[in-house]
Amino acid sequence: YPGEEGRDNFYRRVTESIWQVMDDHPGETVAIVSHGGPIALFTQVVLGLPYRRPMPFGVNNCSLNVIDAPDGVPGRD
């Protein structure tokens, strides 16, 4: 879309933000409230899937998604 941040910036913003929350809360369970796009993106990263659009799966509105992303996750740089 015209004026959007771009795929690479979106990927970096989402993943860096979530990894930072995890780093700030080691061993804790945290809740992150978000739109479906960032949730689907981060799920792809944790599963070791390449980032692609359209996303290979959707995230429903008002859904609860539990992602266990321990250290050593393939997508963590």
Side-chain angles (χ1 to χ4, degrees), residues 9-66:
N9 288 334
F10 176 70
Y11 177 91
R12 192 171 26 261
R13 177 174 57 87
V14 168
T15 57
E16 288 177 1
S17 297
I18 295 175
W19 293 129
Q20 186 63 55
V21 169
M22 292 175 61
D23 289 343
D24 290 346
H25 300 276
E28 297 178 336
T29 299
V30 298
I32 298 174
V33 179
S34 177
H35 292 277
I39 295 168
L41 163 62
F42 192 69
T43 302
Q44 288 180 81
V45 170
V46 170
L47 292 174
L49 300 173
Y51 175 37
R52 63 186 178 118
R53 294 193 64 136
M55 303 279 186
F57 45 81
V59 176
N60 292 325
N61 291 336
C62 300
S63 63
L64 175 64
N65 304 277
V66 178

